[in-house]
Amino acid sequence: QRPAVLELYPLKRQPVEERAPRRRGASGPVQPWPTTYWFVDELLSARIAALEARGWVGRLERRLNGDENALRAAEAAHINAGLERWAALTETDRQLAEERGWQKALRDVGIAGIKSARKVKCLHAQYAHFIGAAVVSPVGRWIAELLDDGMDSKEALVEECVVAVIDDAPKLGGRDRAHKRGTG
């Protein structure tokens, strides 16, 4: 049985006490909302958060960028997500979006507002899109496979971290850290 997701409208109306600009050009009671699908299952959300905490965002991004067929499928899903969002707007709201310059935030970005199909960001958004949308990215399917395999509760292969030594002291941040794929 597939989990339930909510299909959200592309414009968000904020209560007066919460109004604050979140996106460039977005102020007032109505703002663009590029996340179309949203989970309602807290347990599933926690399981996906566990995948993120175990480094699966980066692993899935590397897998996506290493597979041209998967990347083409992801690009199609991201394009379709923007078109689907734009088509969901009423004519009046589409005109409002154009007047305020929100085409990019609503029509020209992908799943949950991701700007590049090569990027894997929020696994929650990717998986919710996989559940709810007609054209889906392989990333959502991979997340489903990870959940089916219980990878949210298992320690996956981790990447070793090789730390460069500069002035006889290990440096742990930024450019001083080099990574290589672990072998187990």
Side-chain angles (χ1 to χ4, degrees):
Q1 178 177 350
R2 292 184 83 119
V5 294
L6 299 176
E7 185 172 351
L8 305 176
Y9 193 68
L11 294 179
K12 174 175 136 179
R13 300 191 189 289
Q14 288 186 310
V16 173
E17 64 275 5
E18 294 180 16
R19 289 185 193 160
R22 292 183 54 166
R23 301 187 185 290
R24 184 190 307 161
S27 62
V30 178
Q31 296 188 10
W33 185 257
T35 300
T36 304
Y37 299 100
W38 194 270
F39 279 108
V40 294
D41 183 326
E42 290 182 23
L43 177 60
L44 183 57
S45 183
R47 291 185 68 202
I48 293 170
L51 290 173
E52 290 178 341
R54 286 179 168 79
W56 282 103
V57 172
R59 288 181 181 93
L60 293 177
E61 186 170 299
R62 285 188 294 280
R63 180 177 178 184
L64 177 65
N65 285 294
D67 181 337
E68 285 302 315
N69 291 330
L71 188 54
R72 278 194 295 279
E75 288 168 346
H78 280 276
I79 289 168
N80 195 69
L83 296 174
E84 181 182 81
R85 248 189 325 270
W86 194 252
L89 291 169
T90 65
E91 185 59 37
T92 302
D93 284 345
R94 201 173 296 120
Q95 289 174 354
L96 174 69
E98 288 173 348
E99 288 169 11
R100 295 193 180 176
W102 294 342
Q103 300 93 317
K104 183 171 184 163
L106 295 173
R107 183 191 62 208
D108 301 339
V109 296
I111 297 166
I114 297 173
K115 294 177 183 171
S116 169
R118 291 186 169 277
K119 293 290 182 189
V120 174
K121 290 168 75 175
C122 176
L123 299 187
H124 296 82
Q126 292 277 352
Y127 189 62
H129 187 268
F130 170 75
I131 300 299
V135 178
V136 298
S137 169
V139 176
R141 180 175 41 84
W142 296 338
I143 296 165
E145 291 167 0
L146 290 169
L147 292 169
D148 288 346
D149 291 343
M151 295 305 290
D152 56 306
S153 61
K154 294 179 188 171
E155 286 301 320
L157 292 177
V158 295
E159 295 181 349
E160 287 182 44
C161 180
V162 178
V163 179
V165 177
I166 300 172
D167 298 325
D168 296 325
K171 303 291 183 181
L172 299 177
R175 289 180 225 124
D176 298 325
R177 190 181 309 164
H179 296 278
K180 69 177 185 177
R181 186 105 190 161
T183 56

